[in-house]
Amino acid sequence: MSLFDWFANRRKSGSLSKERQEREIADGLWSKCPACGVLTYTKDLRTNQMVCPDCGHHLRIFADQRVQQLIDPGTWRPLDEDLCPVDPLKFRDRKAYQDRLRETQDKTGLRDAVQTGLGQLDRLPLGLGVMDFRFMGGSMGSVVGEKLTRLIERATRERLPVVIVCASGGARMQEGMLSLMQMAKISAALERHREAGLLYVPVLTHPTTGGVTASFAMLGDIIVAEPKATIGFAGRRVVEQTLREKLPDDFQTSEYLLTHGFVDTIVPRTQLKQTLAQLIRLHQPYPPSPAQASQFVHVPDHLPESLSVNSVRAD
Amino acid sequence: MTLSDRKPILLDFEKPLVELDSRIAQIRELAEENDVDVSDQIQQLEARATQLRQEIFSSLTPSQRLQVARHPRRPSTLDYIQAISDEWIELHGDRSTGIDDLALVGGIARLDGRPVVMLGHQKGRDTKDNVRRNFGMASPGGYRKAMRLMNHANRFSMPIITFIDTPGAYAGVEAERLGQGEAIAYNLREMFRLEVPILCTVIGEGGSGGALGIGVGDRLMMFEHSVYTVASPEACAAILWKDASKAPQAAEALKITAADLKALGILDQILPEPIGGAHADPLKAAETLKQALLENLAELTRLSRSQLKELRYQKFRSIGMFTQLSA
């Protein structure tokens, strides 16, 4: 029985009892789509890359899942995992930044809001950076700036294309102007990568705003977005306050940016890997060098099963 | 730029000064009426006033500094350009969006005999002017005009001098539609490509990405009472404290003053202001600015094009604080 038949049957047979539903959601066996409310067996949802099979809503996923979805098994080599944030301003709002960092690190098991590394995507070597919204809203401070800059510099040296999956509220206020300057630092590294004639593709996911939009998110040779992601410079509420009027529903969505010419293509998550592979292949030199040509003919019989990424957390 | 004939605009922390000044005036008047010589006392009181002014302005809190930086009479980009250049022609338009953004102005000037491109955010001088200039909040067209002028400078080997003075890039529907994020991002990357010296000075308010969009250079200078922020203290307070009235605390926490940014390694040079702030003596402030620009320009002119680009890269490459466990 296909998933769709299953859904059709389920609708006919009526919904599960409320009590049972809640218990099974709590167990993580079932997941409820925040957009359409339909329950999906979590395993099926994961097979579908956390895209609701009913309405196509892209649920939020985290960096390790994204790496797993994009990188060929066994090829991921994380970089600079040991970079840790510090508290240069001794910043304190309602809570001390240092405490906030420690709590977030304990809760997420992450050191900061980006994972970077080298790996292969459909047998194509590349540098990949993935921002993680769990970690203080994916905000960009010194560590995010440094890790992405090192990734881009490494990719420039090794002549690799770079893909960065963006998900961020913008610059991290708790590191003050150091955060703002990371925008310039990353852009500088991208300038050298570009100068070297290499391809850079940012993937904009929900949400991509503020200082990330005003730097590396918008600097792609080709810009890809996930469907219905919020993408903008100023937050929607800020714009509403500036103008004191209601904004159109599709304002600052992927679709809005596509219409206005600021993203090249909207790609559903389930097709992201193959689209990125296609884009990278289209930018390889022609005629292909013998080494690259072999990529087209040599297909290994068995792909390695093991993954070096962290196991996926059930959310 | 004589502002003495206009009624001064007072900030709340200047009140003790005003009281002292009016007392001096009172005594002078009384003495004249009664024909008594009080010049000694007046001299003493005036010395006291100068001392008090100095004390107040040397120990401003970050949020008081923000008030000085936003002072309506603070010299603007066009004020400085007119004061420091031998000649100046303003140029308009980005050749693409179809609107000339008056919140970001630029053109070609002659600085001590040398042609340079000057550009910067322009706040209005009064309410009407401020509406026209959108309070110095530039739109994508402004950033693209700036880039067009910087490319022009690069083509004709002219140094680029930018003046930063904006509450932030404009946050409106039109600005978003025209790609505010893209316009700023593009400048950030392209400014690393340019092969002429770039000098950036924060003359008033450096508001976040809107400031950085013309702020990538070989030297970053700030006037003593200017501020440069990752987010406005008001926005920061609203987001992190969930209470906009906590803006003074946010201003303190964000480290926005010239001295703080020098300590963080972001700023190269602090330009001292006349006592009472740049608006108290705009010509003196302009003279300080001109000297600093000429000195830095002389240093940068000695570098080759590739050295210039390499050093600019390294300057930004080194910004950031973190620890590496294995190191």
PDB file of all heavy atoms in Angstrom, chain A residues 286-298:
ATOM      1  N   TYR A 286      34.212  21.780 -19.684  1.00  0.00           N
ATOM      2  CA  TYR A 286      33.865  20.955 -20.836  1.00  0.00           C
ATOM      3  C   TYR A 286      34.900  21.181 -21.930  1.00  0.00           C
ATOM      4  O   TYR A 286      35.223  22.337 -22.202  1.00  0.00           O
ATOM      5  CB  TYR A 286      32.465  21.314 -21.351  1.00  0.00           C
ATOM      6  CG  TYR A 286      32.022  20.381 -22.448  1.00  0.00           C
ATOM      7  CD1 TYR A 286      31.418  19.174 -22.126  1.00  0.00           C
ATOM      8  CD2 TYR A 286      32.270  20.694 -23.789  1.00  0.00           C
ATOM      9  CE1 TYR A 286      31.055  18.295 -23.126  1.00  0.00           C
ATOM     10  CE2 TYR A 286      31.908  19.819 -24.792  1.00  0.00           C
ATOM     11  CZ  TYR A 286      31.299  18.614 -24.460  1.00  0.00           C
ATOM     12  OH  TYR A 286      30.940  17.731 -25.437  1.00  0.00           O
ATOM     13  N   PRO A 287      35.416  20.191 -22.604  1.00  0.00           N
ATOM     14  CA  PRO A 287      35.149  18.775 -22.330  1.00  0.00           C
ATOM     15  C   PRO A 287      35.722  18.332 -20.993  1.00  0.00           C
ATOM     16  O   PRO A 287      36.711  18.901 -20.555  1.00  0.00           O
ATOM     17  CB  PRO A 287      35.845  18.067 -23.487  1.00  0.00           C
ATOM     18  CG  PRO A 287      36.888  19.015 -23.964  1.00  0.00           C
ATOM     19  CD  PRO A 287      36.383  20.384 -23.693  1.00  0.00           C
ATOM     20  N   PRO A 288      35.111  17.339 -20.354  1.00  0.00           N
ATOM     21  CA  PRO A 288      35.544  16.933 -19.021  1.00  0.00           C
ATOM     22  C   PRO A 288      36.956  16.348 -19.037  1.00  0.00           C
ATOM     23  O   PRO A 288      37.367  15.758 -20.020  1.00  0.00           O
ATOM     24  CB  PRO A 288      34.523  15.868 -18.616  1.00  0.00           C
ATOM     25  CG  PRO A 288      33.797  15.488 -19.847  1.00  0.00           C
ATOM     26  CD  PRO A 288      33.966  16.563 -20.847  1.00  0.00           C
ATOM     27  N   SER A 289      37.683  16.583 -17.947  1.00  0.00           N
ATOM     28  CA  SER A 289      39.003  15.970 -17.801  1.00  0.00           C
ATOM     29  C   SER A 289      38.795  14.475 -17.582  1.00  0.00           C
ATOM     30  O   SER A 289      37.709  14.061 -17.167  1.00  0.00           O
ATOM     31  CB  SER A 289      39.713  16.594 -16.607  1.00  0.00           C
ATOM     32  OG  SER A 289      39.004  16.271 -15.432  1.00  0.00           O
ATOM     33  N   PRO A 290      39.810  13.656 -17.848  1.00  0.00           N
ATOM     34  CA  PRO A 290      39.642  12.198 -17.688  1.00  0.00           C
ATOM     35  C   PRO A 290      39.152  11.823 -16.290  1.00  0.00           C
ATOM     36  O   PRO A 290      38.302  10.947 -16.145  1.00  0.00           O
ATOM     37  CB  PRO A 290      41.058  11.656 -17.924  1.00  0.00           C
ATOM     38  CG  PRO A 290      41.748  12.705 -18.724  1.00  0.00           C
ATOM     39  CD  PRO A 290      41.148  14.021 -18.342  1.00  0.00           C
ATOM     40  N   ALA A 291      39.665  12.555 -15.275  1.00  0.00           N
ATOM     41  CA  ALA A 291      39.265  12.219 -13.898  1.00  0.00           C
ATOM     42  C   ALA A 291      37.772  12.429 -13.698  1.00  0.00           C
ATOM     43  O   ALA A 291      37.081  11.619 -13.087  1.00  0.00           O
ATOM     44  CB  ALA A 291      40.051  13.073 -12.911  1.00  0.00           C
ATOM     45  N   GLN A 292      37.272  13.546 -14.248  1.00  0.00           N
ATOM     46  CA  GLN A 292      35.841  13.813 -14.089  1.00  0.00           C
ATOM     47  C   GLN A 292      35.012  12.852 -14.932  1.00  0.00           C
ATOM     48  O   GLN A 292      33.944  12.428 -14.527  1.00  0.00           O
ATOM     49  CB  GLN A 292      35.535  15.246 -14.498  1.00  0.00           C
ATOM     50  CG  GLN A 292      35.761  16.210 -13.362  1.00  0.00           C
ATOM     51  CD  GLN A 292      35.867  17.622 -13.866  1.00  0.00           C
ATOM     52  OE1 GLN A 292      35.809  17.878 -15.058  1.00  0.00           O
ATOM     53  NE2 GLN A 292      36.015  18.536 -12.930  1.00  0.00           N
ATOM     54  N   ALA A 293      35.524  12.552 -16.118  1.00  0.00           N
ATOM     55  CA  ALA A 293      34.781  11.665 -17.013  1.00  0.00           C
ATOM     56  C   ALA A 293      34.519  10.326 -16.340  1.00  0.00           C
ATOM     57  O   ALA A 293      33.463   9.728 -16.512  1.00  0.00           O
ATOM     58  CB  ALA A 293      35.554  11.465 -18.305  1.00  0.00           C
ATOM     59  N   SER A 294      35.489   9.890 -15.531  1.00  0.00           N
ATOM     60  CA  SER A 294      35.328   8.591 -14.884  1.00  0.00           C
ATOM     61  C   SER A 294      34.146   8.594 -13.924  1.00  0.00           C
ATOM     62  O   SER A 294      33.566   7.557 -13.640  1.00  0.00           O
ATOM     63  CB  SER A 294      36.609   8.207 -14.152  1.00  0.00           C
ATOM     64  OG  SER A 294      36.769   9.050 -13.022  1.00  0.00           O
ATOM     65  N   GLN A 295      33.780   9.786 -13.433  1.00  0.00           N
ATOM     66  CA  GLN A 295      32.630   9.856 -12.522  1.00  0.00           C
ATOM     67  C   GLN A 295      31.341   9.430 -13.213  1.00  0.00           C
ATOM     68  O   GLN A 295      30.407   8.992 -12.578  1.00  0.00           O
ATOM     69  CB  GLN A 295      32.446  11.281 -12.007  1.00  0.00           C
ATOM     70  CG  GLN A 295      33.462  11.664 -10.969  1.00  0.00           C
ATOM     71  CD  GLN A 295      33.243  13.089 -10.507  1.00  0.00           C
ATOM     72  OE1 GLN A 295      32.361  13.775 -11.009  1.00  0.00           O
ATOM     73  NE2 GLN A 295      34.034  13.513  -9.553  1.00  0.00           N
ATOM     74  N   PHE A 296      31.306   9.609 -14.526  1.00  0.00           N
ATOM     75  CA  PHE A 296      30.075   9.261 -15.230  1.00  0.00           C
ATOM     76  C   PHE A 296      29.956   7.766 -15.485  1.00  0.00           C
ATOM     77  O   PHE A 296      28.868   7.252 -15.619  1.00  0.00           O
ATOM     78  CB  PHE A 296      29.992  10.017 -16.567  1.00  0.00           C
ATOM     79  CG  PHE A 296      29.882  11.498 -16.384  1.00  0.00           C
ATOM     80  CD1 PHE A 296      30.973  12.321 -16.618  1.00  0.00           C
ATOM     81  CD2 PHE A 296      28.693  12.064 -15.945  1.00  0.00           C
ATOM     82  CE1 PHE A 296      30.865  13.680 -16.427  1.00  0.00           C
ATOM     83  CE2 PHE A 296      28.595  13.430 -15.755  1.00  0.00           C
ATOM     84  CZ  PHE A 296      29.676  14.246 -15.995  1.00  0.00           C
ATOM     85  N   VAL A 297      31.120   7.113 -15.594  1.00  0.00           N
ATOM     86  CA  VAL A 297      31.048   5.695 -15.936  1.00  0.00           C
ATOM     87  C   VAL A 297      31.227   4.785 -14.731  1.00  0.00           C
ATOM     88  O   VAL A 297      30.643   3.717 -14.660  1.00  0.00           O
ATOM     89  CB  VAL A 297      32.086   5.314 -17.018  1.00  0.00           C
ATOM     90  CG1 VAL A 297      31.683   5.915 -18.348  1.00  0.00           C
ATOM     91  CG2 VAL A 297      33.488   5.769 -16.619  1.00  0.00           C
ATOM     92  N   HIS A 298      32.011   5.235 -13.760  1.00  0.00           N
ATOM     93  CA  HIS A 298      32.296   4.335 -12.652  1.00  0.00           C
ATOM     94  C   HIS A 298      31.231   4.456 -11.565  1.00  0.00           C
ATOM     95  O   HIS A 298      31.159   5.448 -10.863  1.00  0.00           O
ATOM     96  CB  HIS A 298      33.676   4.637 -12.076  1.00  0.00           C
ATOM     97  CG  HIS A 298      33.954   3.872 -10.824  1.00  0.00           C
ATOM     98  ND1 HIS A 298      34.166   2.507 -10.825  1.00  0.00           N
ATOM     99  CD2 HIS A 298      34.021   4.257  -9.524  1.00  0.00           C
ATOM    100  CE1 HIS A 298      34.371   2.095  -9.581  1.00  0.00           C
ATOM    101  NE2 HIS A 298      34.281   3.146  -8.772  1.00  0.00           N
TER     102      HIS A 298
END
